[in-house]
Amino acid sequence: MRSALRADCSRCFALCCVAPAFVASADFAIDKPAGRPCPNLRPDFRCAIHDRLRPSGFPGCAAYDCFGAGQQVAQVTFGGRDWRRTPEIAADMFAAFEKMRVLHELLWYLAEALTLPAAQSLHGPLRAALEETTHLTQASAGDLIQLDVDRHREQINALLRRTSALVRAKVHVPEADFRSADLIGKNLRGADLRGADLRGAYLIGADLRGADLTMADVTGADLRAANLGGADLSRTVFLTQFQVNAATGDAGTRLPSCLARPQHWQA
């Protein structure tokens, strides 16, 4: 299922370039309010600086991943209509996109959870949650906008936390609880992080070269500019393309087969 949760920009209307707000920072060169097109967006919905986003000061755009929510909203929710030719749908389309992205990210995690043998006892509830979330993605724009997506996310997260506990228990290393920990810039080179709970951890700029993150849970961990050179993430739990895109790595970095090696990584 995760193959269907990949962004296809050719079937979207640059929703990620319009709907979210940008704040001038290390990730974005400019401020941009929500709902306003980025000045780099061309009339054909392509980015004028797509081939040089990082040197132009937009690494946040280069890392961004919508989990396929863009094409779902563009082609299914709004039936192929775009916000430029039909401006009256713009506000609803952007609001629906924000909700859809959350749902698609949850689908990514649920689909992965169903591949984990250690969580076999939870496969029934996980499958039911996946079916319910999939059903929500088929809702009308009005229903999507009204959806309490935060409440739904918390319900799913409770199930994913149970899944994580079962998986990590197989390889848990003592004192490996780093939930929401401030690990910004930390030297974790060669660290044994097998089975670590890194949910929501701040790993911005951390040195993770050669670290072993087998069965570590990195849900929501901030890996911007983290150095993953030579690190083993081949069996890291709930790792996303967005996180990988935001980090740096090299030819020795091991990734799950479902994720692509970013072009900006060293060969």
Side-chain angles (χ1 to χ4, degrees):
M1 179 179 182
R2 283 180 289 177
S3 62
L5 298 173
R6 303 183 190 283
D8 183 352
C9 298
S10 68
R11 301 181 61 229
C12 183
F13 300 121
L15 297 180
C16 65
C17 303
V18 187
F22 298 166
V23 177
S25 63
D27 295 310
F28 301 102
I30 60 172
D31 289 321
K32 185 193 82 65
R36 179 180 297 175
C38 173
N40 296 308
L41 183 63
R42 302 188 327 199
D44 62 357
F45 298 113
R46 295 177 181 270
C47 175
I49 60 169
H50 186 266
D51 60 345
R52 56 185 188 280
L53 282 169
R54 292 181 184 277
S56 298
F58 291 87
C61 293
Y64 185 83
D65 179 40
C66 74
F67 299 93
Q71 64 259 29
Q72 178 72 13
V73 169
Q75 303 301 328
V76 179
T77 311
F78 285 88
R81 293 176 295 163
D82 74 70
W83 51 270
R84 273 187 167 144
R85 286 182 294 182
T86 49
E88 63 273 16
I89 68 171
D92 284 351
M93 180 174 269
F94 303 153
F97 172 70
E98 295 291 345
K99 300 292 181 75
M100 188 69 77
R101 186 186 183 278
V102 174
L103 294 175
H104 273 225
E105 183 176 4
L106 292 174
L107 286 175
W108 177 272
Y109 296 139
L110 289 167
E112 178 177 347
L114 284 165
T115 71
L116 302 171
Q120 181 70 40
S121 61
L122 292 176
H123 280 193
L126 286 166
R127 193 170 293 106
L130 186 143
E131 291 174 357
E132 178 187 4
T133 306
T134 300
H135 178 71
L136 291 174
T137 67
Q138 303 294 327
S140 66
D143 287 344
L144 274 172
I145 293 168
Q146 294 300 316
L147 175 66
D148 187 347
V149 76
D150 291 332
R151 181 172 179 271
H152 182 70
R153 175 166 48 192
E154 184 49 44
Q155 292 173 341
I156 300 300
N157 275 338
L159 184 56
L160 293 173
R161 285 193 292 269
R162 292 169 59 195
T163 301
S164 172
L166 288 173
V167 172
R168 292 184 297 103
K170 300 294 184 180
V171 291
H172 184 64
V173 176
E175 301 180 3
D177 187 349
F178 300 107
R179 284 172 294 178
S180 302
D182 182 354
L183 301 173
I184 297 174
K186 291 291 185 180
N187 181 5
L188 297 169
R189 188 169 185 175
D192 183 355
L193 294 171
R194 291 174 298 154
D197 188 346
L198 290 160
R199 293 176 65 93
Y202 296 93
L203 288 156
I204 303 168
D207 186 352
L208 288 159
R209 285 176 291 175
D212 187 348
L213 289 98
T214 298
M215 295 303 175
D217 182 349
V218 296
T219 307
D222 193 335
L223 292 170
R224 283 177 294 169
N227 191 336
L228 303 177
D232 187 356
L233 296 95
S234 59
R235 292 193 294 159
T236 299
V237 182
F238 302 138
L239 181 66
T240 67
Q241 191 67 54
F242 187 20
Q243 290 169 305
V244 171
N245 290 347
T248 61
D250 59 23
T253 306
R254 298 178 62 188
L255 294 175
S257 60
C258 62
L259 299 180
R261 189 174 300 273
Q263 292 183 355
H264 73 280
W265 284 15
Q266 298 176 15

